[in-house]
């Protein structure tokens, strides 16, 4: 039955990709070529051929993609898929570590540190080795540590000053029984290499491996996949859409794959189901200027459609007006909803003028990026309580909550706790417990402070009930009330009770989402540990901002748009210095220019029906108006595909008066009925 559906639903190349189940396969899937359809049908076909669910491992990059894939497979097969593993690389890493991280010296209830926690630990590690605050650029140090850990950089004369800090940071992670996001890939590889018996268990289980968005894999992710793969492995990707080198992705992994699996079969998907012929011809015209790529030519059966429309506004304010007016006009003429429009930028700094124009014209919009829900202070406070309850040795989160809400435990007390922890070579929690049990005469703290610490310890211990049993959300709501968090918000926002109530509403949203999660029958493990790992992975996921706003224009960076599509797309700021970005031109050489071109290609191929590109003549930079040149990528679009718009010229008062008089004359003329 599935066989008939495959023949009806798939083109010949897709059919070959779906029905070739054995051996190594490289599927080059161009933009809009039905990649997700191929992956889901391929897994459904495996199940149809009696390959056990438990032997299939499908890896992708976002929770959203994994969830969509799983739902589509369920829809195709009608099966529950309880034993199928469809996962992000990092979530799979968590799964491996939960089983066997104790072999590397951690306890299995480890905490996953996000960026905020990692920066706090770097600061603490710097204090440990008495490094000056003047040397602490937390963003740059975090990037360096990530590069060192994942093998993208080695210690050299330029960065060796931070080696001791890195060692202190690593010791801190182990002390607090925590791992950072890079560890979720690095540590499973270490585990597999140092413990062949563990690797053998996984190789015996996962006989069929698939990797989505293969061009986005880092060297470490490729190594993890390569270690696990035996012979039946299929990777799906497009070297023309590799735009994440700045976070370790390397499309050269496609070349590595062909070397490591010499009998690989290559299948190319070049029929695009998304865009008009004109939009695809524009995209092909641009990307063919890259030399380091697989040669391919996307084509469409959707007809040519309208030309690409290029506008050269005077400045970013005029550009923003053009975009806002264009959206209003097309929405009215073509009866389109606002969520059918995508406005793409190279950098977040371009958004201000566009947002102002949207506000001026009452156009609802949603902007990707900004502060993640899980990064809001009030949410992090509650999550920190949960992290400390689940792992008392998590010093970073303990320090966040020990005096939030305020309970009389000030900086001087924390210094004493730190000193005791140093003397005992213990965590802060153990130091606090030791202080509460010290004889009054020998204790360096006042009786009142000791009582405050005892209350804190009792609170955390009492809420160990969160760790097991049902009703996690109900217990968390009870905890929020117990710590009087609403009163704390009121005190912390003395000039705005409205702001305090808004923050408390966010906490209610958190608890409601927790409720929905634990009531979902598909989630067997609804423990606090499972919940904390889930939200850590969700909050890291760049594209998982929920289901989106159905009635709002989508304003986002080109990077954030990958994997999405819109009937109408505006690409703003297609100028030298923005596309390609000045930093790429100055620092990265030809390889960086090629990645910038791939980024422009991704932007163009997000459009289904209409594509507008704007390039300002001048743009404000550092409080000065600077002349701009159109992006070199615009010149690479074949000229027969482009329609130019001249900026509207201002008219004089005399011309305006004359126009008005003509309008009035026309209105005054008697209408002659047609015969």
């Amino acid at each position: 039955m599935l066989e008939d559906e495959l023949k009806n639903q798939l083109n010949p190349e897709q059919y070959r990709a779906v029905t070739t189940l054995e051996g190594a396969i490289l599927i080059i899937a161009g933009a809009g070529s039905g990649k997700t359809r191929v992956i889901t049908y391929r897994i459904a076909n495996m199940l149809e051929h009696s390959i056990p669910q438990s032997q299939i491992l499908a890896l992708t990059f976002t929770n959203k993609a994994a969830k969509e894939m799983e739902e589509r497979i369920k829809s195709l097969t009608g099966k529950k898929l309880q034993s199928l593993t469809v996962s992000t690389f990092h979530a799979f890493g968590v799964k491996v570590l939960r089983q066997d991280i104790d072999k590397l010296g951690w306890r299995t209830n480890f905490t996953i540190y996000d960026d905020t926690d990692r920066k706090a630990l770097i600061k603490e590690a710097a204090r440990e080795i008495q490094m000056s605050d003047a040397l602490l650029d937390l963003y740059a140090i975090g990037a360096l540590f990530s590069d060192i850990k994942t093998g993208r950089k080695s210690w050299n004369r330029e960065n060796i000053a931070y080696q001791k800090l890195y060692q202190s940071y690593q010791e801190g992670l182990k002390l607090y029984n925590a791992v950072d996001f890079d560890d979720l890939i690095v540590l499973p590889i270490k585990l597999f290499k140092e413990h062949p018996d563990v690797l053998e268990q996984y190789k015996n289980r996962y006989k069929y491996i698939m990797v989505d968005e293969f061009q986005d894999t880092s060297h470490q992710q490729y190594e993890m996949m390569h270690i696990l793969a035996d012979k039946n492995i299929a990777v799906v990707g497009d070297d023309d859409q590799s735009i994440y080198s700045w976070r370790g992705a390397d499309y050269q992994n496609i070349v590595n794959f062909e070397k490591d699996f010499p009998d690989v079969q290559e299948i190319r998907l070049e029929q695009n189901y998304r865009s008009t012929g004109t939009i695809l011809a524009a995209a092909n015209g641009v990307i063919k200027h890259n030399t380091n790529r697989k040669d391919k030519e996307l084509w469409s059966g959707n007809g040519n459609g309208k030309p690409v429309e290029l506008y050269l506004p005077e400045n970013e304010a005029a550009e923003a007006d053009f975009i806002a007016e264009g959206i209003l006009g097309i929405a009215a003429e073509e009866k389109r909803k606002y969520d059918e429009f995508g406005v793409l930028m190279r950098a977040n700094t371009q958004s201000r003028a566009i947002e102002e124009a949207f506000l001026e014209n009452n156009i609802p919009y949603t902007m990707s990026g900004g502060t993640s829900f899980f990064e809001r202070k009030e949410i992090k406070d509650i999550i920190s309580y949960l992290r400390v309850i689940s792992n008392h040795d998590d010093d970073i989160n303990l320090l966040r909550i020990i005096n939030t809400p305020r309970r009389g435990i000030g900086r001087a007390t924390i210094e004493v706790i730190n000193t005791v922890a140093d003397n005992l070579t213990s965590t802060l929690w153990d130091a606090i417990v030791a202080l509460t049990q010290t004889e009054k005469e020998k204790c360096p703290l006042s009786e009142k402070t000791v009582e405050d610490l005892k209350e804190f310890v009792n609170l955390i211990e009492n809420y160990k009930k969160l760790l097991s049993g049902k009703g996690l959300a109900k217990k968390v709501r009870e905890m929020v009330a117990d710590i009087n968090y609403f009163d704390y918000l009121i005190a912390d926002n003395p000039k705005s009770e409205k702001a305090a109530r808004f923050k408390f509403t966010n906490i209610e949203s958190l608890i409601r989402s927790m409720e929905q999660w634990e009531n979902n029958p598909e989630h067997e493990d609804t423990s606090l540990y499972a919940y904390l790992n889930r939200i850590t992975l969700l909050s890291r996921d760049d594209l998982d901002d929920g289901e989106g706003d159905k009635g709002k224009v989508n304003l986002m960076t080109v990077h954030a748009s990958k994997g999405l599509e819109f009937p109408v797309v505006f690409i703003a700021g297609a100028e030298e210095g923005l596309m390609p970005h000045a930093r790429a031109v100055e620092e990265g050489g030809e390889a960086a220019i090629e990645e910038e071109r791939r980024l422009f290609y991704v932007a163009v191929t997000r459009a289904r029906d209409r594509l507008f590109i704007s390039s300002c003549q001048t743009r404000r930079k550092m409080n000065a108006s600077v002349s701009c040149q159109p992006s070199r990528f615009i010149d690479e679009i074949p000229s027969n595909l482009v329609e130019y718009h001249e900026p509207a010229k201002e008219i004089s008062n005399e011309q305006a008066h004359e126009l008005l008089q003509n309008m009035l004359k026309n209105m005054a003329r008697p209408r002659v009925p047609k015969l």
Side-chain angles (χ1 to χ4, degrees):
M1 191 170 73
L2 181 64
E3 180 65 24
D4 293 337
E5 188 173 348
L6 297 183
K7 286 178 178 174
N8 292 331
Q9 295 292 326
L10 305 175
N11 66 39
E13 290 78 17
Q14 289 175 330
Y15 181 81
R16 186 179 155 215
V18 165
T19 55
T20 306
L21 303 182
E22 304 293 322
I25 308 167
L26 171 60
I27 302 167
I28 302 295
S33 62
K35 168 177 67 71
T36 306
R37 173 188 289 190
V38 164
I39 294 170
T40 51
Y41 270 110
R42 192 170 188 275
I43 293 173
N45 195 35
M46 286 180 181
L47 299 176
E48 183 82 356
H49 281 77
S50 302
I51 293 171
Q53 293 179 26
S54 59
Q55 290 186 4
I56 301 169
L57 170 63
L59 296 170
T60 187
F61 280 83
T62 68
N63 292 297
K64 187 176 180 181
K67 186 179 177 184
E68 181 188 348
M69 210 179 288
E70 195 166 348
E71 285 174 353
R72 285 172 74 163
I73 298 164
K74 280 181 185 174
S75 176
L76 274 175
T77 62
K79 296 179 179 177
K80 289 186 177 179
L81 307 181
Q82 289 166 320
S83 305
L84 179 70
T85 306
V86 181
S87 167
T88 65
F89 274 92
H90 290 93
F92 179 70
V94 172
K95 186 175 181 177
V96 171
L97 294 177
R98 280 280 164 233
Q99 292 295 316
D100 293 292
I101 198 172
D102 57 314
K103 293 180 173 64
L104 298 176
W106 276 260
R107 295 185 299 284
T108 52
N109 67 332
F110 60 86
T111 298
I112 304 169
Y113 276 7
D114 62 13
D115 284 338
T116 306
D117 298 328
R118 186 174 70 157
K119 285 174 184 172
L121 181 57
I122 291 171
K123 285 172 78 172
E124 186 196 297
R127 284 196 299 272
E128 283 289 317
I129 63 169
Q130 298 180 326
M131 178 179 272
S132 167
D133 283 354
L135 295 173
L136 285 186
D137 179 339
L138 292 176
Y139 179 81
I141 291 170
L144 171 65
F145 285 6
S146 183
D147 287 343
I148 293 289
K149 184 172 286 193
T150 57
R152 294 196 294 271
K153 283 186 181 175
S154 302
W155 295 112
N156 56 40
R157 281 185 300 177
E158 290 179 9
N159 60 35
I160 197 69
Y162 294 99
Q163 188 172 25
K164 192 175 177 184
L165 178 62
Y166 178 77
Q167 289 165 349
S168 178
Y169 167 74
Q170 286 295 101
E171 288 164 6
L173 284 174
K174 201 99 178 246
L175 175 66
Y176 304 147
N177 197 38
V179 297
D180 63 23
F181 216 62
D182 292 318
D183 286 326
L184 300 182
I185 306 297
V186 172
L187 290 181
I189 293 171
K190 181 178 169 70
L191 183 66
F192 291 151
K193 286 182 174 178
E194 294 180 3
H195 298 273
D197 56 320
V198 175
L199 174 60
E200 200 57 32
Q201 287 172 22
Y202 283 92
K203 286 176 79 80
N204 286 337
R205 175 172 179 183
Y206 295 114
K207 298 290 189 184
Y208 295 83
I209 296 176
M210 287 195 71
V211 181
D212 186 19
E213 301 287 9
F214 185 61
Q215 76 282 345
D216 292 337
T217 51
S218 66
H219 290 296
Q220 296 282 332
Q221 288 162 334
Y222 180 83
E223 187 177 3
M224 179 196 268
M225 176 214 80
H226 188 206
I227 288 171
L228 284 171
D230 191 5
K231 58 179 182 178
N232 299 322
I233 177 159
V235 299
V236 187
D238 179 10
D239 51 341
D240 288 338
Q241 295 187 72
S242 179
I243 58 173
Y244 293 116
S245 68
W246 47 277
R247 66 182 190 195
D250 188 354
Y251 68 94
Q252 285 295 331
N253 282 340
I254 292 176
V255 176
N256 297 336
F257 185 76
E258 291 172 314
K259 287 178 185 171
D260 291 332
F261 298 89
D263 296 327
V264 64
Q265 296 183 60
E266 183 179 304
I267 301 170
R268 298 190 184 194
L269 308 181
E270 295 176 300
Q271 182 176 354
N272 176 286
Y273 292 90
R274 175 189 300 156
S275 307
T276 64
T278 296
I279 290 169
L280 288 185
N284 288 331
V286 171
I287 202 64
K288 73 180 183 185
H289 287 78
N290 275 4
T291 54
N292 201 358
R293 63 184 287 263
K294 293 267 186 186
D295 189 35
K296 68 185 87 66
E297 188 90 4
L298 294 183
W299 61 277
S300 170
N302 297 340
N304 286 333
K306 297 191 176 183
V308 176
E309 299 183 47
L310 178 65
Y311 185 59
L312 304 172
E314 185 180 339
N315 53 34
E316 63 265 46
E319 175 184 58
D321 288 341
F322 162 71
I323 293 169
E325 288 162 12
I327 289 171
L328 290 172
I330 295 169
E333 286 170 31
E334 301 181 12
K335 294 184 170 55
R336 292 193 181 275
K337 299 176 191 168
Y338 283 129
D339 66 331
E340 294 181 65
F341 295 87
V343 181
L344 311 184
M345 314 165 289
R346 175 63 180 84
N348 269 318
T349 51
Q350 294 171 247
S351 74
R352 186 188 57 80
I354 299 170
E355 289 188 75
E356 285 180 2
F358 285 173
L359 292 169
E360 186 72 25
N361 288 277
N362 294 317
I363 297 173
Y365 69 94
T366 178
M367 183 173 166
S368 68
T371 305
S372 155
F373 178 77
F374 290 100
E375 291 298 306
R376 295 177 189 272
K377 182 187 180 302
E378 61 275 16
I379 300 302
K380 279 193 75 73
D381 284 347
I382 302 307
I383 297 298
S384 289
Y385 270 96
L386 301 182
R387 291 198 191 284
V388 173
I389 289 163
S390 71
N391 175 12
H392 295 354
D393 296 335
D394 185 344
D395 284 6
I396 299 294
N397 283 296
L398 186 144
L399 286 171
R400 183 182 187 93
I401 63 167
I402 195 167
N403 203 37
T404 304
R406 294 174 187 87
R407 49 174 63 90
I409 303 171
R411 186 171 293 180
T413 304
I414 291 169
E415 284 176 8
V416 171
I417 295 168
N418 271 318
T419 302
V420 172
D422 288 343
N423 292 338
L424 297 174
T425 60
S426 72
T427 62
L428 297 182
W429 176 265
D430 289 339
I432 291 169
V433 172
L435 282 164
T436 62
Q437 295 172 353
T438 303
E439 292 176 22
K440 192 191 305 182
E441 296 75 21
K442 295 179 181 177
C443 185
L445 298 174
S446 69
E447 284 185 50
K448 168 71 170 64
T449 302
V450 171
E451 284 304 311
D452 291 335
L453 288 174
K454 281 181 180 176
E455 278 186 31
F456 177 69
V457 168
N458 289 337
L459 175 79
I460 300 301
E461 292 288 0
N462 286 344
Y463 276 95
K464 274 188 175 176
K465 61 187 176 185
L466 284 165
L467 299 178
S468 59
K470 299 289 183 184
L472 179 63
K474 185 180 177 184
K475 294 171 189 172
V476 172
R477 189 176 275 115
E478 181 188 322
M479 183 196 77
V480 171
D482 266 6
I483 62 175
N484 296 316
Y485 196 81
F486 182 66
D487 291 345
Y488 163 71
L489 287 175
I490 293 289
D492 213 41
N493 295 271
K495 294 182 180 177
S496 177
E497 187 177 323
K498 188 177 178 182
R501 291 190 180 281
F502 174 76
K503 291 172 188 285
F504 199 72
T505 302
N506 286 335
I507 293 171
E508 263 303 315
S509 296
L510 173 75
I511 294 171
R512 278 199 303 274
S513 71
M514 199 180 288
E515 225 157 23
Q516 290 169 352
W517 171 77
E518 65 179 341
N519 289 334
N520 186 330
E522 291 185 14
H523 298 142
E524 292 177 24
D525 184 0
T526 55
S527 69
L528 180 58
Y529 298 127
Y531 180 75
L532 290 174
N533 284 330
R534 171 184 174 270
I535 62 168
T536 299
L537 292 167
L538 276 176
S539 60
R540 276 293 302 225
D541 200 321
D542 294 335
L543 295 179
D544 282 5
D545 290 328
E547 294 302 311
D549 293 280
K550 295 301 180 190
K552 297 182 181 181
V553 172
N554 302 277
L555 175 60
M556 61 182 62
T557 62
V558 183
H559 280 103
S561 75
K562 186 155 175 292
L564 304 176
E565 60 179 72
F566 307 100
V568 183
V569 166
F570 290 81
I571 301 175
E575 302 141 25
E576 289 292 308
L578 277 175
M579 293 182 182
H581 200 279
R583 190 168 57 248
V585 177
E586 290 163 15
E587 299 174 8
E590 191 55 38
I593 298 292
E594 291 212 350
E595 176 148 336
E596 290 289 309
R597 186 177 282 111
R598 292 194 293 270
L599 193 59
F600 188 75
Y601 171 84
V602 165
V604 169
T605 53
R606 297 313 92 196
R608 286 199 343 227
D609 305 323
R610 305 281 299 274
L611 176 62
F612 298 85
I613 303 174
S614 52
S615 175
C616 292
Q617 297 174 51
T618 64
R619 187 174 287 276
R620 298 288 298 179
K621 289 180 185 172
M622 302 293 286
N623 296 323
S625 185
V626 179
S627 293
C628 302
Q629 295 297 319
S631 167
R632 67 191 74 182
F633 304 144
I634 291 175
D635 289 337
E636 294 170 358
I637 298 174
S639 58
N640 63 304
L641 305 175
V642 177
E643 182 179 282
Y644 284 81
H645 292 276
E646 289 298 323
K649 294 178 181 175
E650 289 188 15
I651 60 174
S652 65
N653 289 337
E654 291 79 8
Q655 288 172 313
H657 180 73
E658 188 178 336
L659 281 171
L660 180 61
Q661 292 304 314
N662 287 336
M663 283 172 63
L664 291 171
K665 282 178 190 173
N666 288 333
M667 288 169 68
R669 282 181 191 146
R671 292 185 180 176
V672 180
K674 290 181 181 178
L675 298 173

